[in-house]
Amino acid sequence: MQGMVAGAGGQLYIVFTRAGGEEPVLSRWLRDGSAWDGSSWTCAGAPTSIPALGHGNDLAYQSDYRGQGPALIATQGSQSAFPSADVTVVHLDSSGSVGASEVVHLPIGNISGLCYSATAADGAGRYAARRSGNLWTHPGSGSLTSGWTLVNSGLTSHDNRSDQGIDCSENYIWNTKSINTSTPETGWNWVYQYNWSGGDVESDIGIPGNGLTDEIEDVTHIGSDFFVGVNRNGGSADSVKVFIE
């Protein structure tokens, strides 16, 4: 599992790759509304292979990308193993199914986290992007090839090994911190909170690392329900955990 985001109607989109970032595929998941458990979600058709997704490290959902309808925007790289300054824009049809895609080059260099909130900036919408200790924002309209503002170039130590996904809403940006080779066996994954000016809100949510096996990959939300994507490195199936804000 790599990137994940919630789209219209509570649909979840997830990027999976093979080892080493090979063969990226995009899958769409629908929920029957019965419960927050594995049996209430179904994959809507076969996952779609999209080589342009690259590593597919994070996903953002834009309900009306440049006036062209809904789209997913996927970062192609991470800040470490798969650096890339490109993102892939995947256009969706009215049902949420995958359509044509295009590649956009970002002027801020390679990023590892990307999110979009339609309710930020008093409803005008806004993107956030992160790599290592840097955090940028961008207006919700216009091309992604310009218009970025660096709001913080020295995020707190929370950002150590935070080359996974981010999520954003009207007032906040959620930043993930994953386990790594220097994490103690008893270590956890974390989600930290920033405001749109890059300020640390000092809210932290812990997700067990289970002996360095469960690695957080991304975070997204539907209302006050937050979803955390977990890559289970020990060979078990990847999973999505839910917590309530």
Side-chain angles (χ1 to χ4, degrees), residues 130 158-159 162 165-166 173-177 190-192 194:
R130 189 218 61 237
H158 298 170
D159 201 59
S162 291
I166 64 175
I173 299 166
W174 283 269
N175 184 48
T176 63
K177 176 182 177 182
W190 297 94
V191 177
Y192 293 102
Y194 296 90

Side-chain angles (χ1 to χ4, degrees), residues 106-128:
L106 302 183
I108 55 179
N110 63 297
I111 62 172
S112 56
L114 179 71
C115 61
Y116 172 78
S117 171
T119 57
D122 295 324
R126 187 178 288 175
Y127 294 94

Side-chain angles (χ1 to χ4, degrees), residues 192-217:
Y192 293 102
Q193 194 174 19
Y194 296 90
N195 60 34
W196 280 95
S197 296
D200 189 355
V201 185
E202 291 294 347
S203 175
D204 57 288
I205 301 164
I207 297 96
N210 293 331
L212 306 186
T213 298
D214 293 359
E215 176 189 6
I216 190 171
E217 288 289 336

